[in-house]
Every structure is written in structure tokens, then in C-alpha cells.
Amino acid sequence: MRDLGVGFGRLLKGQRWMARHGRSYGFGLLPGVITLVLYAAALVALAVWGEDAVSWATPFADHWSSPWQGLFRGFLTAVLFALGLLLAVLTFTAVTLLVGQPFYENLSERVDAEVSPDGTAPRSRLPLWRELWISARDSLRVLVRAALWGVLLFALGFLPFVGQTVVPVLGLFVTGFFVTEELTAVALQRRGVELHARLALLRSRKTLVWGFGMPLALAFLVPFAAVFLMPGAVAGATLLARDLLGEENADGDWAPHAPDAPGAFGGWPDSEDAAK
């Protein structure tokens, strides 16, 4: 239970850090605004034509008597929209981070440098184009995993009672995990931690991850909230990444049960020296 509180504390601390650096806040909103407009258009299209899509996919119900046909197709339309909303939440972070990669990379470095005891931040040895390629590739891999979970939850949504109670809770856990993975990837990729190692880190501290990601996933369901929370979420995820790797902060705060060294998870042996 302690890790849940630590994870949530990192989320709040990231938002406070962003509030203290308001001059950069406006630039951090732009990628989220662009992504929000695209996603809003897709969800509106799903709401408008979702019923037609369900009718096309269920021709066997054309001759059902009223009210069963309407109830059946109405339920499927609602489930389809819920799945679209879940996928939007799962993928919003990845797309926003990709659009705003240079800004969020710089933001993460500034957080690292401010909380590090020696005032330095690990830096990637890779050129920007290579970082963008790795970020896009890894995001696609994560989104495939998230989509598989989404399909499974969609199927479970047809189960009576379970689909209306257990499935939404499971969806929140899944969303919180993958949202945290995408956000911490900014800081971890800069340290040379590959995708499989990032996933291993997150799985080793699932309660810490859920403490950070689940409240954020719930907040992302509120219209426009994701746009305003994204910059602070990146800042908080940088602090969380330091916890996962057992790195000391300037205030002496350590993460409990952290691994012995970043190199154990595939990071650069000394990211700061490697950048020189």
C-alpha cells in the first residue's frame, strides 16, 4: 500500500514542479491540444456512425422483434464506444509524447537536473532522428499490447454483471499501467533502458505504477484534463523513473526495494559520461 501512496505522490509532485515553471507550461500544452482535436474528431465519428457499424456487423438481428433488436444493438453500440474511449485513453499519451518529443525530452532533463544531487541529468547518446524512431517503434509495440488487452476487455464486457462491474476496474488497472509506461519511457529511454527492460521494471513495482497511473487514467477521462495534466505528468514520471532505478534525489528520498543499479536493466553504464 505504501507504493500506491508513493506513486500518487510522484504524480502530485510533478504537477507542482510544472506549476513552479509556468513559463514552459504553454509550450507543453500544444502537443496535447493537437492530439485532443484529432481524438475528439474520431470519437464524434464513432458516436455518429457507431450504430450503423453495429447494424452492418449484426445482420442476423435484422428480423428480431422489438424491443430485442434495439436493446441488443444499443448495448453493442455502447460497448463499441466504450472500447473506443478506452483505446483513446490508452493511446493518447503515446501520440502526445510523439508529437511533443523535443519539448518533453527537454522537460524531463530539467527535472532530472533539478532533483539530482550533483545537478546533472543523464543524456542519450543517440541523435534526435534515432530517438524519434525508437520512441515511435516502442510506442507501437506497447499499443499492440494495449490493444490486445482492449479486445479482451471488450469481449468480457458481454458477460452479465462481470462486464458492468469487474471489467471497468480491470480496464482502469490496464490503462494506468500502460499510461505510466509511455510517460516513464521519456526518462528511461534517455538512460538507454530498452522496452523489455522498462516493462520488467514496471512489473516489478506494479503498485507503485498503479499509484501513479490509475489516478491519471481517471483524470484523462475528464474532457480536456489530459491536455492540462500532460506536462506535469511527464515531470512526475521522471521522478518515478528515478524511483524505479533507485537513483538518489537531492532531498535524500529513495525508492524502497529499488534495483541495485540502473545497468542491471540495460541502461548506459554512465549516461552522463557517455553523452560527452
Side-chain angles (χ1 to χ4, degrees):
M1 292 299 293
R2 180 189 175 188
D3 269 358
L4 285 174
V6 172
F8 184 60
R10 293 300 182 235
L11 176 60
L12 295 180
K13 196 169 185 178
Q15 299 300 326
R16 290 197 298 268
W17 189 96
M18 202 68 238
R20 295 198 309 270
H21 299 77
R23 292 181 60 184
S24 302
Y25 186 61
F27 292 101
L29 295 179
L30 186 58
V33 170
I34 295 172
T35 307
L36 180 66
V37 171
L38 295 175
Y39 275 57
L43 288 174
V44 168
L46 186 60
V48 173
W49 290 294
E51 186 175 356
D52 293 337
V54 168
S55 297
W56 172 82
T58 57
F60 56 86
D62 286 343
H63 305 292
W64 287 13
S65 61
S66 180
W68 305 115
Q69 183 193 84
L71 290 174
F72 176 70
R73 286 179 170 169
F75 171 73
L76 289 185
T77 301
V79 172
L80 179 63
F81 185 83
L83 176 62
L85 187 60
L86 174 63
L87 291 177
V89 173
L90 286 171
T91 59
F92 181 89
T93 301
V95 175
T96 303
L97 291 174
L98 193 59
V99 171
Q101 173 78 12
F103 170 83
Y104 293 130
E105 189 75 23
N106 179 263
L107 168 62
S108 179
E109 283 191 28
R110 290 174 60 195
V111 173
D112 260 326
E114 184 172 311
V115 301
S116 176
D118 59 4
T120 62
R123 294 179 181 176
S124 174
R125 299 181 296 183
L126 304 175
L128 178 60
W129 71 267
R130 179 67 176 168
E131 289 183 359
L132 290 172
W133 162 249
I134 293 175
S135 179
R137 181 198 65 190
D138 289 351
S139 293
L140 181 60
R141 291 174 176 175
V142 171
L143 292 180
V144 169
R145 289 176 168 85
L148 292 176
W149 273 101
V151 171
L152 175 61
L153 294 174
F154 177 77
L156 293 176
F158 290 98
L159 297 177
F161 182 73
V162 173
Q164 295 75 46
T165 55
V166 178
V167 171
V169 176
L170 289 177
L172 181 60
F173 277 92
V174 171
T175 304
F177 181 89
F178 284 113
V179 165
T180 304
E181 194 286 326
E182 289 290 348
L183 288 166
T184 54
V186 177
L188 294 176
Q189 182 179 314
R190 188 158 36 82
R191 290 163 165 83
V193 184
E194 299 291 341
L195 176 61
H196 70 280
R198 296 202 301 267
L199 292 173
L201 272 173
L202 296 172
R203 293 187 188 113
S204 70
R205 303 290 299 281
K206 287 192 288 290
T207 52
L208 179 69
V209 169
W210 287 330
F212 180 91
M214 290 174 61
L216 195 59
L218 284 174
F220 279 7
L221 294 175
V222 179
F224 308 113
V227 174
F228 295 103
L229 294 177
M230 270 299 294
V234 172
T238 302
L239 299 174
L240 190 72
R242 297 180 66 87
D243 288 341
L244 291 169
L245 293 173
E247 297 178 359
E248 186 181 11
N249 295 330
D251 59 2
D253 187 16
W254 285 79
H257 311 301
D260 293 334
F265 288 93
W268 309 125
D270 190 331
S271 299
E272 190 64 29
D273 289 342
K276 295 180 181 179

